[in-house]
């Protein structure tokens, strides 16, 4: 009797002022676009603290400064062609690209895992495929901005220097195709490495180790093969590093000059280039599949 008598007095309903929403429900497509936009902006520190903007903006500047110097020299000396091909620029600046990816891929996904916000995303009208596509698309787009901006500077500079329009436009187009493949490949690999752990530091180390160790091992083995006159093996060794994969594809199909030891003859031809391209596409698709599997469980 006493418990029943106290219930009306202890049970109360409070109005704490939440406003109801009577507008349109924008659905999954809007949520996916919003997540993509937020992730892309975050990759350059936009919408975040001033401290978060420092590293990506410095790396972006470092990527563009060599292009500005090349343009200044070309205009001042009235060169007839650029001293560095469009397709060679990303190979030349691969260390900067790797540092950017190592810094921003964990920022994109590791914090969601660490603070367990992924279940909150999936509690709204957004599904696993939406999250993966938005994050993958944002990371690849951020890398494309990083790698394509210097090419735009080179192209504008070549026109200002009155170089051959057709040749420069063709080279610029080839360069854009190359950095598009690079952005998709590196973006997928970086996100896979970063999504393996909620610890951002571990994610950074994993991305750097994947890029640096693989390239160092492949370059060393190619050097040994060149020193022993085993030139045929050089092109096949390039299949085991992300940056040498891009080098092989653009050498075979985009008119680029290979960075492999031995010069032009060591680069893959059309047949081996087709294998390179298939491996690149397989790694891109595989990265997407691994990310989909990683986010299969909401709790994570």
């Amino acid at each position: 009797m006493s418990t029943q008598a106290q219930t009306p007095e202890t049970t109360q309903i409070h109005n704490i002022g939440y406003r109801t929403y009577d507008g349109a429900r924008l659905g999954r497509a809007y949520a996916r676009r919003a997540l993509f936009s937020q992730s892309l902006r975050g990759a350059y520190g936009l919408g975040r603290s001033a401290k978060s903007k420092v590293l990506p903006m410095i790396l972006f500047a470092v990527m563009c400064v060599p292009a500005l110097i090349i343009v200044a020299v070309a205009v001042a000396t009235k060169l007839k062609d650029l001293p560095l091909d469009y397709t060679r620029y990303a190979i030349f600046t691969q260390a900067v690209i790797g540092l950017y990816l190592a810094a921003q891929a964990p920022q994109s996904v590791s914090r969601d895992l660490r603070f367990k916000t992924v279940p909150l995303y999936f509690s709204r009208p957004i599904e696993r495929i939406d999250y993966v596509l938005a994050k993958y698309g944002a990371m690849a787009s951020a890398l494309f901005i990083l790698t394509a901006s210097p090419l735009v500077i080179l192209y504008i500079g070549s026109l200002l220097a009155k170089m051959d329009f057709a040749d420069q436009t063709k080279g610029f187009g080839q360069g854009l195709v190359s950095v598009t493949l690079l952005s998709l490949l590196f973006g997928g690999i970086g996100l896979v490495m970063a999504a393996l752990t909620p610890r951002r530091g571990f994610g950074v180390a994993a991305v750097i180790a994947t890029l640096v160790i693989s390239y160092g091992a492949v370059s060393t083995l190619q050097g040994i093969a060149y020193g022993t006159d085993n030139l045929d093996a050089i092109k096949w060794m390039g299949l085991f590093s992300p940056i040498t994969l891009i080098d092989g594809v653009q050498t075979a199909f985009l008119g680029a000059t290979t960075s492999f030891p031995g010069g032009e003859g060591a680069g893959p031809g059309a047949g081996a280039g087709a294998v390179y391209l298939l491996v690149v596409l397989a790694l891109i698709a595989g990265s997407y599949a691994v990310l989909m599997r990683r986010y299969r469980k909401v709790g994570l």
Side-chain angles (χ1 to χ4, degrees):
M1 291 295 293
S2 61
T3 302
Q4 293 178 352
Q6 291 176 1
T7 300
E9 297 177 0
T10 59
T11 303
Q12 301 180 26
I13 298 177
H14 297 274
N15 181 3
I16 58 178
Y18 285 124
R19 185 177 299 176
T20 58
Y21 177 74
D22 298 323
R25 301 292 177 177
L26 299 177
R28 285 175 55 192
Y30 180 85
R32 185 169 56 245
R33 289 195 301 271
L35 182 58
F36 168 83
S37 175
Q38 181 266 337
S39 300
L40 178 57
R41 284 167 52 85
Y44 285 94
L46 303 178
R48 301 172 61 203
S49 65
K51 182 180 177 181
S52 301
K53 297 178 176 67
V54 174
L55 182 59
M57 292 304 177
I58 288 177
L59 293 177
F60 182 81
V62 171
M63 281 291 293
C64 293
V65 165
L68 291 170
I69 295 174
I70 291 171
V71 166
V73 172
V75 172
T77 59
K78 298 180 180 180
L79 294 177
K80 298 300 181 182
D81 204 355
L82 292 172
L84 183 65
D85 293 339
Y86 295 96
T87 49
R88 292 277 298 154
Y89 198 91
I91 306 298
F92 177 71
T93 56
Q94 60 175 295
V96 182
I97 299 171
L99 286 175
Y100 178 86
L101 180 63
Q104 300 309 315
Q107 184 276 137
S108 181
V109 295
S110 295
R111 293 193 308 167
D112 289 346
L113 295 172
R114 182 176 181 182
F115 297 109
K116 300 187 182 301
T117 56
V118 176
L120 296 180
Y121 282 120
F122 294 169
S123 68
R124 310 309 301 165
I126 187 172
E127 296 184 4
R128 176 172 47 127
I129 187 173
D130 301 313
Y131 182 87
V132 172
L133 285 175
K135 290 293 184 178
Y136 198 156
M139 192 71 258
S141 298
L143 285 170
F144 181 78
I145 292 171
L146 182 75
T147 53
S149 296
L151 303 188
V152 174
I153 294 173
L154 290 176
Y155 182 62
I156 294 174
S158 69
L159 298 183
L160 291 175
K162 298 181 180 179
M163 297 178 186
D164 185 79
F165 176 78
D167 287 344
Q168 295 303 316
T169 301
K170 178 182 178 181
F172 178 59
Q174 291 171 334
L176 289 181
V177 173
S178 175
V179 298
T180 298
L181 282 175
L182 182 147
S183 300
L184 289 170
L185 177 61
F186 276 46
I189 292 173
L191 288 180
V192 167
M193 294 296 103
L196 294 177
T197 172
R199 296 290 183 178
R200 183 177 179 180
F202 291 161
V204 171
V207 173
I208 292 177
T210 300
L211 297 180
V212 173
I213 293 176
S214 63
Y215 177 70
V218 168
S219 298
T220 300
L221 292 174
Q222 286 180 326
I224 294 172
Y226 177 69
T228 56
D229 293 327
N230 192 2
L231 299 182
D232 288 338
I234 293 177
K235 59 179 175 236
W236 298 114
M237 292 175 182
L239 293 170
F240 300 97
S241 169
I243 194 66
T244 53
L245 276 170
I246 298 299
D247 192 318
V249 170
Q250 66 183 20
T251 299
F253 301 115
L254 300 176
T257 302
T258 185
S259 299
F260 293 175
E264 186 174 350
V275 178
Y276 271 73
L277 182 59
L278 288 174
V279 172
V280 169
L281 296 178
L283 285 174
I284 292 171
S287 297
Y288 171 78
V290 171
L291 288 171
M292 286 292 291
R293 183 176 179 84
R294 175 70 180 92
Y295 291 100
R296 182 173 59 182
K297 294 182 179 180
V298 176
L300 298 171

mmCIF file with all atom_site columns, all heavy atoms in Angstrom, residues 137-148:
data_model
loop_
_atom_site.group_PDB
_atom_site.id
_atom_site.type_symbol
_atom_site.label_atom_id
_atom_site.label_alt_id
_atom_site.label_comp_id
_atom_site.label_asym_id
_atom_site.label_entity_id
_atom_site.label_seq_id
_atom_site.pdbx_PDB_ins_code
_atom_site.Cartn_x
_atom_site.Cartn_y
_atom_site.Cartn_z
_atom_site.occupancy
_atom_site.B_iso_or_equiv
_atom_site.pdbx_formal_charge
_atom_site.auth_seq_id
_atom_site.auth_comp_id
_atom_site.auth_asym_id
_atom_site.auth_atom_id
_atom_site.pdbx_PDB_model_num
ATOM 1  N N   . GLY A 1 137 ? 35.839 7.405  -50.632 1.00 0.00 ? 137 GLY A N   1
ATOM 2  C CA  . GLY A 1 137 ? 35.766 8.485  -51.604 1.00 0.00 ? 137 GLY A CA  1
ATOM 3  C C   . GLY A 1 137 ? 36.442 9.750  -51.108 1.00 0.00 ? 137 GLY A C   1
ATOM 4  O O   . GLY A 1 137 ? 37.134 10.445 -51.866 1.00 0.00 ? 137 GLY A O   1
ATOM 5  N N   . ALA A 1 138 ? 36.258 10.071 -49.826 1.00 0.00 ? 138 ALA A N   1
ATOM 6  C CA  . ALA A 1 138 ? 36.869 11.278 -49.265 1.00 0.00 ? 138 ALA A CA  1
ATOM 7  C C   . ALA A 1 138 ? 38.384 11.172 -49.229 1.00 0.00 ? 138 ALA A C   1
ATOM 8  O O   . ALA A 1 138 ? 39.094 12.131 -49.568 1.00 0.00 ? 138 ALA A O   1
ATOM 9  C CB  . ALA A 1 138 ? 36.317 11.529 -47.859 1.00 0.00 ? 138 ALA A CB  1
ATOM 10 N N   . MET A 1 139 ? 38.907 10.007 -48.833 1.00 0.00 ? 139 MET A N   1
ATOM 11 C CA  . MET A 1 139 ? 40.361 9.845  -48.754 1.00 0.00 ? 139 MET A CA  1
ATOM 12 C C   . MET A 1 139 ? 40.985 9.885  -50.144 1.00 0.00 ? 139 MET A C   1
ATOM 13 O O   . MET A 1 139 ? 42.023 10.519 -50.355 1.00 0.00 ? 139 MET A O   1
ATOM 14 C CB  . MET A 1 139 ? 40.691 8.513  -48.074 1.00 0.00 ? 139 MET A CB  1
ATOM 15 C CG  . MET A 1 139 ? 42.152 8.347  -47.662 1.00 0.00 ? 139 MET A CG  1
ATOM 16 S SD  . MET A 1 139 ? 42.623 9.409  -46.275 1.00 0.00 ? 139 MET A SD  1
ATOM 17 C CE  . MET A 1 139 ? 43.495 10.727 -47.073 1.00 0.00 ? 139 MET A CE  1
ATOM 18 N N   . ALA A 1 140 ? 40.353 9.219  -51.114 1.00 0.00 ? 140 ALA A N   1
ATOM 19 C CA  . ALA A 1 140 ? 40.866 9.246  -52.477 1.00 0.00 ? 140 ALA A CA  1
ATOM 20 C C   . ALA A 1 140 ? 40.787 10.651 -53.060 1.00 0.00 ? 140 ALA A C   1
ATOM 21 O O   . ALA A 1 140 ? 41.708 11.098 -53.766 1.00 0.00 ? 140 ALA A O   1
ATOM 22 C CB  . ALA A 1 140 ? 40.090 8.260  -53.349 1.00 0.00 ? 140 ALA A CB  1
ATOM 23 N N   . SER A 1 141 ? 39.719 11.373 -52.758 1.00 0.00 ? 141 SER A N   1
ATOM 24 C CA  . SER A 1 141 ? 39.573 12.743 -53.264 1.00 0.00 ? 141 SER A CA  1
ATOM 25 C C   . SER A 1 141 ? 40.616 13.661 -52.655 1.00 0.00 ? 141 SER A C   1
ATOM 26 O O   . SER A 1 141 ? 41.174 14.539 -53.330 1.00 0.00 ? 141 SER A O   1
ATOM 27 C CB  . SER A 1 141 ? 38.167 13.269 -52.970 1.00 0.00 ? 141 SER A CB  1
ATOM 28 O OG  . SER A 1 141 ? 37.181 12.495 -53.614 1.00 0.00 ? 141 SER A OG  1
ATOM 29 N N   . ALA A 1 142 ? 40.886 13.488 -51.357 1.00 0.00 ? 142 ALA A N   1
ATOM 30 C CA  . ALA A 1 142 ? 41.909 14.309 -50.695 1.00 0.00 ? 142 ALA A CA  1
ATOM 31 C C   . ALA A 1 142 ? 43.278 14.061 -51.322 1.00 0.00 ? 142 ALA A C   1
ATOM 32 O O   . ALA A 1 142 ? 44.045 15.005 -51.553 1.00 0.00 ? 142 ALA A O   1
ATOM 33 C CB  . ALA A 1 142 ? 41.939 14.000 -49.200 1.00 0.00 ? 142 ALA A CB  1
ATOM 34 N N   . LEU A 1 143 ? 43.583 12.807 -51.607 1.00 0.00 ? 143 LEU A N   1
ATOM 35 C CA  . LEU A 1 143 ? 44.861 12.493 -52.257 1.00 0.00 ? 143 LEU A CA  1
ATOM 36 C C   . LEU A 1 143 ? 44.909 13.034 -53.681 1.00 0.00 ? 143 LEU A C   1
ATOM 37 O O   . LEU A 1 143 ? 45.965 13.499 -54.146 1.00 0.00 ? 143 LEU A O   1
ATOM 38 C CB  . LEU A 1 143 ? 45.080 10.978 -52.271 1.00 0.00 ? 143 LEU A CB  1
ATOM 39 C CG  . LEU A 1 143 ? 45.487 10.340 -50.938 1.00 0.00 ? 143 LEU A CG  1
ATOM 40 C CD1 . LEU A 1 143 ? 45.438 8.819  -51.043 1.00 0.00 ? 143 LEU A CD1 1
ATOM 41 C CD2 . LEU A 1 143 ? 46.883 10.787 -50.528 1.00 0.00 ? 143 LEU A CD2 1
ATOM 42 N N   . PHE A 1 144 ? 43.777 12.988 -54.371 1.00 0.00 ? 144 PHE A N   1
ATOM 43 C CA  . PHE A 1 144 ? 43.746 13.520 -55.737 1.00 0.00 ? 144 PHE A CA  1
ATOM 44 C C   . PHE A 1 144 ? 44.003 15.028 -55.737 1.00 0.00 ? 144 PHE A C   1
ATOM 45 O O   . PHE A 1 144 ? 44.736 15.549 -56.584 1.00 0.00 ? 144 PHE A O   1
ATOM 46 C CB  . PHE A 1 144 ? 42.396 13.217 -56.392 1.00 0.00 ? 144 PHE A CB  1
ATOM 47 C CG  . PHE A 1 144 ? 42.294 13.718 -57.809 1.00 0.00 ? 144 PHE A CG  1
ATOM 48 C CD1 . PHE A 1 144 ? 42.897 13.024 -58.842 1.00 0.00 ? 144 PHE A CD1 1
ATOM 49 C CD2 . PHE A 1 144 ? 41.616 14.893 -58.101 1.00 0.00 ? 144 PHE A CD2 1
ATOM 50 C CE1 . PHE A 1 144 ? 42.824 13.488 -60.147 1.00 0.00 ? 144 PHE A CE1 1
ATOM 51 C CE2 . PHE A 1 144 ? 41.535 15.366 -59.398 1.00 0.00 ? 144 PHE A CE2 1
ATOM 52 C CZ  . PHE A 1 144 ? 42.135 14.662 -60.435 1.00 0.00 ? 144 PHE A CZ  1
ATOM 53 N N   . ILE A 1 145 ? 43.400 15.736 -54.787 1.00 0.00 ? 145 ILE A N   1
ATOM 54 C CA  . ILE A 1 145 ? 43.660 17.179 -54.669 1.00 0.00 ? 145 ILE A CA  1
ATOM 55 C C   . ILE A 1 145 ? 45.139 17.433 -54.407 1.00 0.00 ? 145 ILE A C   1
ATOM 56 O O   . ILE A 1 145 ? 45.756 18.326 -54.992 1.00 0.00 ? 145 ILE A O   1
ATOM 57 C CB  . ILE A 1 145 ? 42.797 17.780 -53.550 1.00 0.00 ? 145 ILE A CB  1
ATOM 58 C CG1 . ILE A 1 145 ? 41.315 17.742 -53.944 1.00 0.00 ? 145 ILE A CG1 1
ATOM 59 C CG2 . ILE A 1 145 ? 43.217 19.218 -53.235 1.00 0.00 ? 145 ILE A CG2 1
ATOM 60 C CD1 . ILE A 1 145 ? 40.370 18.114 -52.828 1.00 0.00 ? 145 ILE A CD1 1
ATOM 61 N N   . LEU A 1 146 ? 45.715 16.615 -53.529 1.00 0.00 ? 146 LEU A N   1
ATOM 62 C CA  . LEU A 1 146 ? 47.129 16.774 -53.178 1.00 0.00 ? 146 LEU A CA  1
ATOM 63 C C   . LEU A 1 146 ? 48.047 16.539 -54.375 1.00 0.00 ? 146 LEU A C   1
ATOM 64 O O   . LEU A 1 146 ? 49.025 17.264 -54.576 1.00 0.00 ? 146 LEU A O   1
ATOM 65 C CB  . LEU A 1 146 ? 47.487 15.800 -52.047 1.00 0.00 ? 146 LEU A CB  1
ATOM 66 C CG  . LEU A 1 146 ? 48.918 15.861 -51.510 1.00 0.00 ? 146 LEU A CG  1
ATOM 67 C CD1 . LEU A 1 146 ? 49.099 17.090 -50.624 1.00 0.00 ? 146 LEU A CD1 1
ATOM 68 C CD2 . LEU A 1 146 ? 49.260 14.590 -50.734 1.00 0.00 ? 146 LEU A CD2 1
ATOM 69 N N   . THR A 1 147 ? 47.742 15.529 -55.168 1.00 0.00 ? 147 THR A N   1
ATOM 70 C CA  . THR A 1 147 ? 48.630 15.138 -56.261 1.00 0.00 ? 147 THR A CA  1
ATOM 71 C C   . THR A 1 147 ? 48.313 15.833 -57.580 1.00 0.00 ? 147 THR A C   1
ATOM 72 O O   . THR A 1 147 ? 49.203 15.989 -58.426 1.00 0.00 ? 147 THR A O   1
ATOM 73 C CB  . THR A 1 147 ? 48.572 13.615 -56.477 1.00 0.00 ? 147 THR A CB  1
ATOM 74 O OG1 . THR A 1 147 ? 47.195 13.209 -56.653 1.00 0.00 ? 147 THR A OG1 1
ATOM 75 C CG2 . THR A 1 147 ? 49.150 12.872 -55.283 1.00 0.00 ? 147 THR A CG2 1
ATOM 76 N N   . ALA A 1 148 ? 47.073 16.254 -57.774 1.00 0.00 ? 148 ALA A N   1
ATOM 77 C CA  . ALA A 1 148 ? 46.703 16.899 -59.036 1.00 0.00 ? 148 ALA A CA  1
ATOM 78 C C   . ALA A 1 148 ? 46.995 18.398 -59.031 1.00 0.00 ? 148 ALA A C   1
ATOM 79 O O   . ALA A 1 148 ? 47.231 18.980 -60.095 1.00 0.00 ? 148 ALA A O   1
ATOM 80 C CB  . ALA A 1 148 ? 45.227 16.665 -59.333 1.00 0.00 ? 148 ALA A CB  1
#
